[in-house]
Amino acid sequence: MSTVLDSLLEQSDRAPLYEFCKKRIHKNNGEFSQILTYLYRTLMSNLSDFDLYHTIAQLYYDFGFYANALEACLDILDAQTAHIPTYMLLNKLYYQDQEPTTIINQFETALQHDFWFPIIIESLPKFYADHGTHSDLAVFYDNWRQHN
């Protein structure tokens, strides 16, 4: 397995790595910790590989470790605020009841950096509506109008 993982880790596209890991874990849940350990060891040698870290976060999410997925997403965004795939995963985590206020804060931080990504424009108003914060919703739309 490690030679296949090594080969996939050499590629810049992380999709094949993700698919390989996901299939291996589905076949044998016991490999989850072994695969994650291997990926984390690789990540430690290149902490700026946010796509690899996102692959780890996505695997956590896929196998129901939502708190771990959220922690990984927050780590990614602390270092790389503009990592769009992480916002897409945060959107999914929001609906798993994973600290909605924290997720909303991350989306608001993106807007403070003028990152008006489609996932944020689509999701943040829904989050505000879910929480009954209509004043935040009004401010969001005012800011969005000014941005466009």
Side-chain angles (χ1 to χ4, degrees):
M1 172 183 68
S2 64
T3 55
V4 175
L5 277 176
D6 286 336
S7 171
L8 292 169
L9 284 164
E10 289 177 9
Q11 299 176 18
S12 60
D13 181 8
R14 294 298 184 208
L17 172 69
Y18 166 72
E19 290 301 326
F20 172 79
C21 292
K22 186 175 175 182
K23 285 177 186 174
R24 288 293 297 237
I25 296 166
H26 271 298
K27 286 182 183 176
N28 181 0
N29 284 340
E31 290 190 27
F32 183 81
S33 61
Q34 182 182 1
I35 289 172
L36 267 284
T37 299
Y38 199 85
L39 296 178
Y40 268 115
R41 283 186 181 145
T42 304
L43 180 64
M44 292 302 113
S45 67
N46 183 6
L47 293 174
S48 63
D49 190 343
F50 302 113
D51 292 331
L52 176 57
Y53 206 2
H54 183 265
T55 298
I56 292 168
Q58 185 65 53
L59 289 169
Y60 277 134
Y61 177 84
D62 290 343
F63 292 95
F65 296 96
Y66 302 128
N68 298 82
L70 177 61
E71 183 180 339
C73 287
L74 297 177
D75 288 346
I76 293 166
L77 294 177
D78 279 347
Q80 179 66 23
T81 308
H83 195 259
I84 296 171
T86 301
Y87 291 101
M88 296 169 75
L89 184 52
L90 280 177
N91 182 58
K92 292 186 208 176
L93 285 164
Y94 175 86
Y95 293 102
Q96 298 299 327
D97 293 325
Q98 291 301 306
E99 301 184 37
T101 304
T102 301
I103 293 170
I104 291 169
N105 290 340
Q106 286 298 317
F107 278 57
E108 290 173 339
T109 298
L111 294 181
Q112 290 169 2
H113 288 91
D114 272 341
F115 299 138
W116 290 84
F117 305 133
I119 190 67
I120 294 173
I121 295 168
E122 294 168 12
S123 301
L124 196 53
K126 292 176 189 174
F127 299 165
Y128 288 149
D130 288 347
H131 290 278
T133 52
H134 300 292
S135 61
D136 289 337
L137 189 56
V139 169
F140 170 83
Y141 282 121
D142 284 342
N143 289 339
W144 186 35
R145 240 181 285 125
Q146 292 173 7
H147 177 73
N148 288 318

